[in-house]
Structures are given as structure tokens and as C-alpha cells.
Amino acid sequence: MAKIGIFVGTIYGNALAVAEEAQQILGQQGHEVEIYEDATLEQWQMYQQQIVLVVTSTTGQGDLPDNIQPLYTEISDNLGYQPGLRYGLIALGDSSYDTFCGGGRAFDKLLQEQGAKRIGDVLLIDAIDVVEPEVFAQNWIEEWGSLL
């Protein structure tokens, strides 16, 4: 089974709730899973030959939350090419904004540019339609875990 680091960008706790749900489901599938809320570049690098799941909200301006922005900047500035990294991405946002899921989309674009291999499609969760994002994400998480 896989070793998975879940890196969380959260504002009001919804992304963390999704990450905790993912940890439970993936753990039941036999994976070794750790959640990082205020991650360092060193913690990220522990997974460069493993698997990462990024679960992040988006601010109203389309930016990443404050707790994950420094990690994103460090990855962008210091890592460059990451061909050994495999990842998944869950983005939370509000479609009433033009920047819907902008934080997650930016993270996905950065990892793609760095040669990381995305597993499956990005899951976009819209706060307009989804009251319980952790419940909404369950099927995606189960399917994603089976692709590992």
C-alpha cells in the first residue's frame, strides 16, 4: 500500500474536514496517511517519491489560504522538477466568484509544470451546491485510493 501525505489549505475548516475524511477512507484501504496543516518544505519533500493529496480551499480573491501559501511558494521557488511525485487534488471554492477553486487550480498547475504525475481528475467542490464537502468527497476519495 501507499504512503500518502495530505497537505491542507483551510480557512474555515471545511478543507480540513475533507482531509480527515480522506485520511479515514484511505487508511481503511490500507494506506499509511498523515495530515499536514502547516506544512514545511521538508515535510513535502518526504513524499517526493511517494504520493501527495492536496486539499485546499480558495480565498475570495482566488488565492491559497494563509496556512498553505508559504508551502506553495517554497515549492515554486526551491523545487523545480518533481517527476517522482504522484498526487491528487481536491479544491474547494464558491462558484459565485470568478476565481472559483483558484487556489487548487494554481497548485495543480504548479505541480503539472514541475513534472509531477496527477492521479485521477481534480475534484472541485462548490460551496453553493455542497453543504457537507467531506460527505460529497467520499466517492472520489474511494476511487482515487483504488488508483494508487
Side-chain angles (χ1 to χ4, degrees):
M1 295 280 105
K3 182 178 176 185
I4 304 166
I6 301 178
F7 292 82
V8 182
T10 193
I11 301 167
Y12 300 114
N14 288 331
L16 180 58
V18 173
E20 289 170 345
E21 187 70 21
Q23 183 180 37
Q24 181 178 342
I25 291 169
L26 296 168
Q28 289 170 349
Q29 291 179 341
H31 302 291
E32 180 185 330
V33 186
E34 188 78 34
I35 293 177
Y36 299 93
E37 270 187 85
D38 292 300
T40 64
L41 185 62
E42 183 179 353
Q43 290 168 327
W44 178 272
Q45 288 177 303
M46 293 187 314
Y47 293 91
Q48 282 194 305
Q49 300 300 317
Q50 306 291 333
I51 297 171
V52 162
L53 177 61
V54 176
V55 182
T56 187
S57 299
T58 300
T59 69
Q61 294 77 36
D63 297 324
L64 288 161
D66 289 344
N67 73 308
I68 200 168
Q69 180 65 50
L71 176 65
Y72 173 89
T73 301
E74 286 192 76
I75 291 168
S76 178
D77 292 350
N78 299 313
L79 290 187
Y81 196 51
Q82 300 187 77
L85 178 68
R86 297 186 308 147
Y87 76 98
L89 200 134
I90 299 174
L92 291 82
D94 181 329
S95 64
S96 68
Y97 290 88
D98 292 338
T99 57
F100 175 59
C101 289
R105 292 176 198 266
F107 222 115
D108 182 52
K109 181 175 186 252
L110 172 64
L111 295 178
Q112 288 286 304
E113 288 171 353
Q114 292 186 339
K117 311 285 186 287
R118 188 177 65 224
I119 301 166
D121 294 326
V122 173
L123 175 63
L124 303 177
I125 301 176
D126 187 353
I128 296 282
D129 298 326
V130 177
V131 177
E132 296 179 297
E134 67 277 12
V135 174
F136 180 82
Q138 287 173 343
N139 289 339
W140 184 94
I141 295 164
E142 288 172 9
E143 289 177 25
W144 187 78
S146 70
L147 297 173
L148 305 179

